[in-house]
Amino acid sequence: MRSWTDNLRFAFQPVVNLTTGGVAGLEILARPESGDILAEARRDPELDGRLAVLAIRAAARKETLLPLHVNVFAGTLADLGGLTPLHDAVREAGRLPWEVTVDVGPPYTHVPQQALLEAVGGLRAQGFRISADGIGDGDVPLRLLTDLAPDLVKLDASLLARPAAVRAMRTLCEQLGALLSVEGVETELQCAAAVSAGAQLAQGELFAPPARLPAADVYIPPRFPAVAAVPKAGPSVREFVRPAALLPVTASAGQVRALLTGSPEVSGVLLVNAHGAPIRSVHRSRFLLSMSGPYGHALYADRPAAKLGDPPRTVGVDATAWEVLDVVAVGDSDRTSDDVAVVDRYGRCVGVVRLADLVRALAESRVEEAAGLNPLTRLPGSDAITAEVDRRIGDRRTFALSWLDVDHFKQVNDGAGFAAGDELIRSVGRALQHMASGSTRVGHIGGDDFLVLTDPEWLGPLAAAVLDAPWSAGGRAVTLSLATVLCPPGSVPDHRQAAACLAPLKKAAKALHGASWVMGQAGLPGHEILRGAQAAPAQAG
C-alpha cells in the first residue's frame, strides 16, 4: 500500500548573505508530485511535524554541511507543545540543534499565543534557532513578533515596495537582536532595495531556484552601494557571518580529516561542547600538514582532534567588524588566517567570520566614503548626513538639523579672492570637525554650505564654536548664519521633510544682520531668533 510519503520529495533553496555573497543556509521545501500536502499539514499538526522530521532526513542524505531551515506552522507548535521528534531526527542525522533554524510561519489567527510562546521557548532551550516567517504577507501580530524574539525575521519581497516599512522592521530587528532576510527576491532591483533597506540575508529565484540538490553556486548581482554610509563604529559582524563546520569536541582527527577532504570550501573546523560553545579551532592547512607528515596519519588518526587545534578566537554577535580585527591582531601572527567564531548570548557558535571578508568590505567602505568627501574640507557630503537623519527618524530619536553658511560669500570671493574664500571655508570646516564628536555629524554640501546633525543639548556648543569666533577673509570681517530645525519623534517622516522644514528657517536667518541663529520645530509654525538683529525698516522718502 502506497504511503503519502511515496510521492514526496524535498527541494533546497539557498539563503544568501548579501554582504559576503556566500550561502548562509538552506531552506528545505516539501515538493509533492501531486496534491497539496501543505494545506493538509496546516490542518493536521501531526503531519506538519512529520514533514519537519522528513526534511531533516532528506538533508542528511545530501550530506550538506550548511545550516538548515525547516518550516513549521505556528499552529503546529502551539498544538503539539514543541517538536521532540525533530530534536531526535537532528541528532540521528549527526547535526547539532543550533545548526537548524525553525521557520515559524502563518497563519497565526486563532493560535493560542501563550502555548506558541512556550513551545518556541522549548525549542530554543534545546538549541534550535527561531525564525519568524512570512512577515508582511502573513497575519502575525506585532506584539507576538516581539514576544517571540526571533533570531531571524523573514520579510516577503512585496514589502520592498514600501521602504519605510522595511526600514522600520530593520530597526525592530536591531532592537530584538535579530537578522533581517527578504524572501522571494526575483529581480536585481529588488535585491538593490533589500540591500538599501538594510537586509542582511535574502533568498529567491534571482540567486537560485529550489532544487533537488543543494546549490553549490548562487548568482550574486553586482554590488549595490548602500544608501546609508557605514557608521564610524563599523559594520556589524552579523553581516559577515558564514556557516561554521562544527564537530563535537570529542571528534577524532580522522573525523576532522574526512570532513576537510570531502569539503574543500571549509577553511577550518570548530570543535564544540555539548552546549555548542567553541572549545578548539582546527585550521585546515595546519591540520592537514600535520596529518600528511611522516607517520602523521598513524600518530593522529584515532586521537582527539582537539590535540591538533588551537584555542578559538571568538566575538559576540553584537561586535563590529573593527572589533573582530582587534581580536585577530592580538596573538600569534601565524593565525591571522584563522576563522573567528561568532557566538550568541549563550556562548553557542552561530558561525564564523573570515578576515578576507572583513578587510574587503572595510576597504570598500573607506573608498566609498573617500569618494563622497568634499575635496576642499574633506568632510562628507549630504548623503552621509541624510542617511543618518533617516536612521534617527527610524530609531524615534529627537535630533537637531542645522544649516550653516557664510553671509554674502560671493562678495567675499569677489573682494578678497577665491583663495581667501577657500581658506575661510576650510577654517569653518576645521572648527566644525573639532566639535563633531559623539552623536554630532558634520557635512559640507558644497560652496559655503554646511549641515550639522546633533542632539539638542549640543546646540549651545555648536553656536559658540561657529558664531562667537572672529571670522575673516583677506582682512575683511565675515559673519555666519545658522538655521536649526528641531525634530521630535513623529514630526517628520524622512530627511526630505526635515530639509523642507529647514529651508524657510535658513531664509529667515539670512534676513538678519550680523551673526545670526534662527530655530524652529518641525510641524509647528513660526521660529525663534536666538542671534542677529532685524533689519531696520526703510525710511519713507
Side-chain angles (χ1 to χ4, degrees):
M1 181 177 179
R2 286 177 61 83
S3 166
W4 59 269
T5 61
D6 292 342
N7 68 345
L8 181 63
R9 300 292 183 268
F10 288 92
F12 302 86
Q13 185 170 45
V15 179
V16 176
N17 184 314
L18 292 173
T19 299
T20 66
V23 179
L26 294 172
E27 181 173 355
I28 314 172
L29 304 166
R31 290 290 187 265
E33 294 179 3
S34 62
D36 189 352
I37 197 169
L38 293 182
E40 296 179 37
R42 188 180 296 115
R43 296 187 296 267
D44 184 349
E46 294 287 348
L47 173 58
D48 193 31
R50 289 201 295 273
L51 285 177
V53 169
L54 291 173
I56 292 296
R57 291 174 179 169
R61 290 194 293 271
K62 304 302 180 184
E63 299 182 345
T64 176
L65 295 174
L66 289 167
L68 306 173
H69 290 246
V70 179
N71 293 288
V72 178
F73 289 112
T76 296
L77 293 179
D79 287 346
L80 299 182
L83 291 173
T84 300
L86 179 66
H87 187 272
D88 295 338
V90 169
R91 186 177 64 252
E92 292 167 4
R95 301 299 293 261
L96 301 168
W98 42 89
E99 296 179 272
V100 178
T101 298
V102 178
D103 288 359
V104 184
Y108 290 86
T109 303
H110 307 308
V111 173
Q113 294 190 7
Q114 188 57 39
L116 174 60
L117 292 173
E118 290 175 0
V120 167
L123 287 171
R124 189 172 274 125
Q126 291 175 334
F128 291 103
R129 305 192 186 283
I130 303 299
S131 167
D133 202 354
I135 305 302
D137 194 38
D139 59 345
V140 57
L142 188 58
R143 184 174 66 180
L144 177 60
L145 178 61
T146 58
D147 289 344
L148 284 172
D151 302 284
L152 176 65
V153 171
K154 288 189 173 184
L155 295 186
D156 187 83
S158 62
L159 211 60
L160 293 173
R162 299 167 177 82
V166 181
R167 287 197 298 270
M169 190 56 62
R170 169 62 192 265
T171 300
L172 176 61
C173 286
E174 289 175 350
Q175 296 296 319
L176 296 176
L179 293 176
L180 181 63
S181 181
V182 178
E183 294 183 292
V185 175
E186 298 180 350
T187 68
E188 295 194 4
L189 287 178
Q190 285 181 321
C191 182
V195 172
S196 297
Q200 295 104 340
L201 304 172
Q203 60 189 104
E205 295 280 343
L206 175 67
F207 310 106
R212 295 290 173 83
L213 292 176
D217 298 303
V218 293
Y219 170 71
I220 301 296
R223 182 179 174 87
F224 292 94
V227 172
V230 176
K232 288 184 178 180
S236 168
V237 71
R238 294 171 182 267
E239 300 178 23
F240 304 95
V241 174
R242 289 177 176 266
L246 304 177
L247 284 176
V249 70
T250 55
S252 68
Q255 290 174 297
V256 172
R257 183 177 184 275
L259 189 158
L260 291 175
T261 54
S263 306
E265 75 282 0
V266 174
S267 56
V269 177
L270 288 173
L271 305 178
V272 298
N273 64 15
H275 302 290
I279 303 300
R280 302 292 284 180
S281 173
V282 179
H283 185 268
R284 180 187 188 90
S285 298
R286 294 198 298 274
F287 175 83
L288 293 179
L289 184 62
S290 298
M291 291 289 288
S292 61
Y295 312 109
H297 189 271
L299 285 173
Y300 298 117
D302 296 325
R303 300 183 67 185
K307 293 184 177 297
L308 294 176
D310 299 290
R313 290 175 168 176
T314 62
V315 295
V317 292
D318 297 322
T320 66
W322 293 110
E323 290 171 318
V324 178
L325 292 183
D326 289 340
V327 170
V328 173
V330 175
D332 299 336
S333 59
D334 61 349
R335 293 192 61 195
T336 54
S337 62
D338 286 18
D339 294 339
V340 177
V342 182
V343 297
D344 64 13
R345 60 183 179 274
Y346 302 109
R348 302 178 307 202
C349 179
V350 301
V352 295
V353 174
R354 295 180 180 174
L355 180 63
D357 290 338
L358 295 182
V359 172
R360 181 173 60 252
L362 292 174
E364 288 174 352
S365 71
R366 286 293 180 257
V367 170
E368 292 174 4
E369 182 181 342
L373 297 181
N374 187 287
L376 188 60
T377 59
R378 308 304 295 168
L379 288 171
S382 60
D383 285 349
I385 304 300
T386 55
E388 179 63 21
V389 167
D390 285 337
R391 274 194 291 272
R392 298 192 188 192
I393 291 172
D395 292 341
R396 299 192 63 79
R397 290 174 56 185
T398 297
F399 62 88
L401 183 63
S402 298
W403 194 332
L404 175 76
D405 72 348
V406 178
D407 294 329
H408 311 297
F409 185 65
K410 185 177 185 304
Q411 296 179 18
V412 172
N413 270 346
D414 291 345
F418 70 87
D422 285 352
E423 181 54 38
L424 172 63
I425 296 301
R426 279 192 287 267
S427 297
V428 174
R430 285 193 293 269
L432 291 173
Q433 280 181 309
H434 181 71
M435 63 89 54
S437 60
S439 62
T440 300
R441 301 286 185 269
V442 177
H444 183 186
I445 59 177
D448 63 320
D449 292 311
F450 296 87
L451 280 179
V452 182
L453 174 64
T454 189
D455 294 333
E457 57 265 28
W458 286 97
L459 288 174
L462 168 65
V466 296
L467 299 182
D468 292 344
W471 300 104
S472 63
R476 297 165 173 258
V478 174
T479 58
L480 307 183
S481 292
L482 182 66
T484 300
V485 59
L486 290 174
C487 298
S491 60
V492 289
D494 54 32
H495 70 269
R496 296 176 182 82
Q497 186 60 39
C501 294
L502 189 56
L505 299 177
K506 179 191 178 186
K507 183 177 180 181
K510 299 298 288 185
L512 300 174
H513 283 310
S516 61
W517 183 17
V518 166
M519 184 184 299
Q521 181 169 316
L524 298 180
H527 59 266
E528 182 181 3
I529 298 176
L530 302 177
R531 298 279 187 99
Q534 294 275 12
Q539 297 290 329

